[in-house]
């Protein structure tokens, strides 16, 4: 393999790893819920996610009121949902989690 071929292959592999890390992950959202919210909210992730349908969670995200909807589902987590860290780091992962395990999804998380 030529040097150009090796360099191109390395660049494509690196780029694919970088882009996959930037996408939200429902599994990471589930771990976040378990670690940061389960005890605070006093309910399992299954109960939390099933508070709304996939369409309702999706509309909340599109309208920019996902944090408000999550606060309605878990009033004790209000400070977490209103934090800058939620907005910048956790929002996309928690959205994927609640969307994947919404009441009409047919999926049940293990937390």
């Amino acid at each position: 393999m030529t040097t150009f071929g090796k360099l191109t292959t390395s660049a494509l592999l690196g780029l694919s790893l970088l882009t996959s890390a930037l996408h939200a992950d429902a599994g990471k959202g589930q771990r976040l819920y378990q670690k940061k919210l389960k005890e605070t909210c006093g309910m399992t992730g299954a109960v939390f996610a099933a508070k709304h349908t996939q369409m309702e969670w999706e509309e909340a995200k599109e309208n920019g009121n996902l944090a408000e909807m999550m606060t309605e589902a878990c009033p004790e987590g209000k400070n977490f949902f209103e934090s800058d860290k939620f907005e910048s780091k956790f929002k996309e992962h928690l959205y994927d989690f609640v969307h994947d395990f919404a009441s009409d999804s047919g999926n049940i998380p293990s937390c």
Side-chain angles (χ1 to χ4, degrees), residues 37 40-41 67 70-71 74-83:
L37 291 167
T40 302
C41 294
M70 287 185 174
T71 302
C74 171
E76 295 83 9
K78 183 177 182 179
N79 291 337
F80 177 81
F81 297 123
E82 291 178 350
S83 70

Side-chain angles (χ1 to χ4, degrees), residues 38-66:
K38 186 175 181 178
E39 195 171 308
T40 302
C41 294
M43 64 182 95
T44 65
V47 173
F48 178 74
K51 294 277 184 180
H52 296 282
T53 64
Q54 287 181 320
M55 182 65 81
E56 290 169 340
W57 286 119
E58 197 172 309
E59 285 176 1
K61 183 183 178 198
E62 289 173 1
N63 296 333
N65 59 359
L66 185 62

